Amino acid sequence: MAEIYVSTDIETDGFMPGENSMLSLGSAAYLSDGRLLGTWSANFETLPGAGMDPSTAQFWAQQPLAWEVCRRDLRAPAQAMPEYAAWLRALPGRPVFVGYPVTFDFMFVGWYLVRFARDNPFGFSAIDISSFAMAVLGREFRQTTKHHMPREWFDPTLPHTHVALDDALEQGALFMNLLAASRRREATGA
């Protein structure tokens, strides 16, 4: 069964699932040849009893447009996350979570899937874009931030906006270009 690369970005009001809330989730599913299969996104109601981290509140104060977008059309996680799990299961292959950084996004998405859908179609399958770039570029990890990656890996028509679906598409294009570069390198033996 083919792997489907699900580039996923989230927005939150803090750093700890449960203590803080995931505000929005956007995913873009790709075939290994780079074709976009589809997208899924939702904005969430905050968790009862959860609060906003003060440093995250400062970040959002500087991003009023993105804050406005992630607070529209709010859905209960208990309603939306089972729909997300069903969308993942309906993909024509096994979903692999792709994130930047995967440690942050996967932590929240995994927690929300288990808590509200009782199902995590990703299991433990996740790829960190920086870690993959580290292998392809032959550099130390901290030298694989977006600033250090080749410009041809980026799609200039897909800006980073702090809107979850926009950023999932942006990093999905980055990942697919990185995957193509890796395969070219392997084919040439470089």
Side-chain angles (χ1 to χ4, degrees):
M1 183 178 279
E3 291 183 336
I4 306 298
Y5 299 107
V6 184
S7 174
T8 302
D9 186 75
I10 65 168
E11 300 302 334
T12 71
D13 63 9
F15 304 100
M16 296 176 59
E19 188 170 310
N20 304 117
S21 299
M22 182 164 62
L23 303 175
S24 61
L25 164 66
S27 286
Y30 295 86
L31 293 171
S32 64
D33 64 7
R35 283 183 288 159
L36 178 65
L37 289 173
T39 62
W40 191 94
S41 65
N43 293 329
F44 301 105
E45 297 169 355
T46 56
L47 300 171
M52 183 178 283
D53 172 76
S55 65
T56 307
Q58 291 176 358
F59 165 80
W60 283 117
Q62 298 170 12
Q63 304 292 330
L65 180 58
W67 175 258
E68 179 196 335
V69 171
C70 81
R71 299 295 72 212
R72 291 184 198 148
D73 304 318
L74 301 180
R75 300 184 64 200
Q79 175 195 33
M81 292 309 290
E83 291 175 16
Y84 179 60
W87 178 79
L88 291 168
R89 292 242 179 250
L91 293 171
R94 298 188 69 189
V96 176
F97 190 102
V98 176
Y100 183 99
V102 76
T103 53
F104 182 77
D105 298 81
F106 189 79
M107 174 177 60
F108 271 90
V109 173
W111 190 91
Y112 269 69
L113 279 166
V114 170
R115 171 74 176 85
F116 296 109
R118 300 282 182 227
D119 180 24
N120 182 352
F122 294 113
F124 297 102
S125 299
I127 298 172
D128 179 67
I129 292 174
S130 286
S131 298
F132 188 23
M134 177 185 179
V136 172
L137 295 172
R139 295 183 186 158
E140 292 184 1
F141 181 75
R142 297 200 187 277
Q143 294 299 309
T144 59
T145 60
K146 288 180 182 178
H147 176 73
H148 292 96
M149 293 179 189
R151 292 296 99 203
E152 63 266 17
W153 289 359
F154 295 87
D155 183 334
T157 67
L158 298 171
H160 192 82
T161 64
H162 299 294
V163 172
L165 185 56
D166 290 352
D167 294 353
L169 289 163
E170 176 223 9
Q171 75 185 23
L174 169 61
F175 175 76
M176 296 315 301
N177 288 330
L178 172 56
L179 182 61
S182 170
R183 289 178 173 164
R184 282 192 304 274
R185 181 178 174 202
E186 184 178 309
T188 63

